[in-house]
Amino acid sequence: MTNDEQVEAARAYVALSNAHRLDWISPMLDESASYYSAFLGDFQGKSAILDMMTAFFSKIPDMNWHVNSYRNLNGSCVELEFVRTGKDIESDESVNVPGIERIFFSNEGLISRIEVHKA
């Protein structure tokens, strides 16, 4: 994948996340992908990641990521700055969380790792 293709794939991943389309996100993930979130913890493997996302979207059904910028790093990673918004249905509190996300791609063009850091 070229750097531009990686940025476009990251944009597509965010758009699908905003649409809560896990059925379309699933084919983007490598089977052995890993996910680290400073907010949620570590998840290993595609199945564990999709389970976490399912629970996350259930808790905050109107979750939305507003991305401020995308930039390619190191030829295999796209970094984006975001603000995540929505309403937690358990606590009835609004969510407004800034962060930095890094999406790493395998040689096959699949997402191999996602890291979410506090801003």
Side-chain angles (χ1 to χ4, degrees), residues 26-113:
S26 179
M28 298 179 79
L29 297 172
D30 186 275
E31 286 296 328
S32 62
S34 61
Y35 189 107
Y36 163 77
S37 170
F39 305 97
L40 301 171
D42 284 301
F43 302 88
Q44 300 298 317
K46 181 179 186 173
S47 179
I49 294 167
L50 292 171
D51 288 347
M52 173 274 298
M53 289 178 170
T54 298
F56 192 65
F57 292 147
S58 293
K59 183 178 178 184
I60 308 173
D62 64 342
M63 181 63 62
N64 196 43
W65 284 261
H66 306 275
V67 177
N68 301 322
S69 67
Y70 292 86
R71 65 182 161 273
N72 192 277
L73 305 176
N74 305 330
S76 65
C77 173
V78 174
E79 181 178 85
L80 52 107
E81 295 178 31
F82 67 86
V83 176
R84 183 171 30 106
T85 61
K87 188 166 191 168
D88 185 321
I89 62 171
E90 293 173 6
S91 67
D92 200 36
E93 292 183 16
S94 292
V95 174
N96 190 330
V97 179
I100 297 170
E101 184 162 331
R102 293 185 185 111
I103 303 171
F104 295 84
F105 293 92
S106 70
N107 291 337
E108 293 77 28
L110 297 173
I111 295 172
S112 60
R113 179 162 176 79

